Amino acid sequence: MKSVLVFAILFACASASSNKPRETHVPVAGGAQLYVREIGQGPAIVVLHGGPDFDQSYLLPEMDRLSDKFRLIYYDQRGRGRSAENVRPEDVSIESEMEDLDAVRRHFQLNTVVLLGHSWGTVLALEYATRHPERVSRLILMNPAPASAADLQQFVKERQEKWPEQMEKRKAIAATAAYKEADPEAVTAYYRPHFKPALARSEDYDKLITRMHAAFIRQGSAGILKARAVETRLVNDTWAKPGYDLLPKLNSLKIPTLVIYSDHDFIPTATAEHIAQAIPGARMVTLKDCGHFPYMECPDAARRQIDAFFNGSK
């Protein structure tokens, strides 16, 4: 009886420790280091945050709900968040992003990885999968960003047509000296109209803006300016590049893929549809009464789809 009790205590302690975040840094080229946050146990999922000028903090704590079943590996992408030190924006490119993702995979000794990308993170996931399909076991593309320059142009066009007032507000704030100097208050004000159409409920919108405001305060003006410069580099390397189009490359993938979309997302449905149609066998689901951030807005529905994906259910 005593040995059973000891085992139970040890098991409980191990389970509790596995659900405490573990932080580390992964060295990458150029003397930079990626800040990595790991939590949970089970099949490993590398989580790719959006932006491209954000860091992982906007995903937390809700995304951590998956840690009861999965080992989540988040990292701030180079030049953003806590991966900004010793980074020159001019050294960041889509190729360096691919090298960084592979460095994370190797650091954790993963022969293959499950990639969960949100928004811009889906572009990174797809870029990596087309280069190294043998290293990716599954793809979860949550509210994907455009995978082609044409789909980005359609997104911009629809946004201007549907929400002209919010777009004018954003344009006016972007022209101010405070925004150009990356004052955190001005940057927060800029993102208020940007994300206003992206969420289904006002309380979730307020939560997102509060969380982003805290991140901008933590980064400070210098960090925001660096992340902004990195974003410009990555946009020029992808969406702004003439003829940029990942979709034809996706036709050769044989990777089980789940595309999660939401009926209140501000990104057009066609963006997700084009990706799902391009990847053979990909499954696309549309969550109801939910926006661009389903892990926060409708976590139960999103979780059911992810569990079904791993369980092989339809």
Side-chain angles (χ1 to χ4, degrees):
M1 180 64 72
K2 184 177 179 180
S3 62
V4 172
L5 179 60
V6 170
F7 176 80
I9 292 172
L10 292 174
F11 179 79
C13 291
S15 297
S17 64
S18 71
N19 279 323
K20 290 182 179 179
R22 303 170 302 274
E23 299 177 325
T24 189
H25 289 83
V26 174
V28 291
Q33 293 195 43
L34 302 178
Y35 166 75
V36 181
R37 179 180 177 277
E38 180 190 7
I39 188 170
Q41 59 184 352
I45 299 178
V46 175
V47 182
L48 302 171
H49 65 74
D53 56 334
F54 300 150
D55 59 36
Q56 64 183 271
S57 61
Y58 78 91
L59 297 168
L60 304 173
E62 292 87 0
M63 191 72 81
D64 273 359
R65 290 181 58 172
L66 291 171
S67 68
D68 65 342
K69 186 176 178 180
F70 302 98
R71 176 187 176 200
L72 303 178
I73 301 171
Y74 305 82
Y75 69 95
D76 288 352
Q77 293 152 24
R78 194 191 302 203
R80 285 141 287 177
R82 283 172 278 192
S83 298
E85 191 173 351
N86 296 326
V87 174
R88 301 185 309 168
E90 57 267 31
D91 292 334
V92 180
S93 65
I94 196 65
E95 292 302 329
S96 72
E97 294 289 270
M98 298 298 97
E99 293 166 5
D100 290 354
L101 174 50
D102 205 53
V104 171
R105 179 190 65 83
R106 294 195 307 272
H107 178 85
F108 288 98
Q109 300 179 342
L110 302 172
N111 291 328
T112 61
V113 291
V114 177
L115 297 180
L116 189 163
H118 175 250
S119 197
W120 159 259
T122 66
V123 177
L124 296 184
L126 293 173
E127 287 276 7
Y128 186 83
T130 58
R131 288 168 167 79
H132 307 293
E134 74 286 356
R135 300 175 191 172
V136 182
S137 59
R138 290 177 184 266
L139 286 168
I140 302 172
L141 308 175
M142 184 177 286
N143 299 79
S148 69
D151 277 349
L152 178 70
Q153 292 168 2
Q154 184 61 31
F155 171 40
V156 173
K157 179 176 180 290
E158 286 195 19
R159 191 169 54 177
Q160 291 171 340
E161 291 174 350
K162 291 181 177 180
W163 304 290
E165 183 178 346
Q166 283 90 345
M167 297 308 101
E168 284 302 315
K169 286 181 180 177
R170 195 179 68 151
K171 184 178 178 181
I173 294 168
T176 65
Y179 177 81
K180 292 176 182 179
E181 294 166 4
D183 174 76
E185 301 300 327
V187 175
T188 302
Y190 172 86
Y191 279 110
R192 284 185 178 277
H194 177 76
F195 284 120
K196 186 64 175 176
L199 294 96
R201 287 171 291 277
S202 60
E203 58 267 29
D204 291 323
Y205 167 75
D206 291 340
K207 185 188 297 183
L208 175 72
I209 295 300
T210 298
R211 190 171 298 174
M212 289 190 164
H213 178 247
F216 296 144
I217 293 291
R218 184 176 63 250
Q219 285 178 275
S221 297
I224 293 169
L225 287 172
K226 180 177 287 189
R228 191 181 291 172
V230 167
E231 178 179 55
T232 298
R233 291 271 306 171
L234 291 171
V235 168
N236 288 338
D237 222 9
T238 54
W239 293 321
K241 185 177 289 185
Y244 179 75
D245 191 356
L246 278 176
L247 297 172
K249 299 178 182 179
L250 305 183
N251 292 327
S252 63
L253 294 183
K254 298 178 181 178
I255 301 170
T257 301
L258 172 64
V259 180
I260 298 176
Y261 184 71
S262 307
D263 61 358
H264 280 68
D265 201 335
F266 68 158
I267 295 179
T269 311
T271 292
E273 290 175 340
H274 291 164
I275 294 170
Q277 291 164 1
I279 301 175
R283 179 170 177 247
M284 176 175 166
V285 297
T286 300
L287 306 180
K288 303 298 182 183
D289 300 317
C290 198
H292 191 63
F293 303 87
Y295 61 90
M296 177 176 66
E297 298 180 75
C298 48
D300 292 338
R303 178 61 186 269
R304 283 194 296 272
Q305 295 299 336
I306 291 172
D307 283 345
F309 177 57
F310 277 91
N311 294 334
S313 304
K314 294 294 185 180

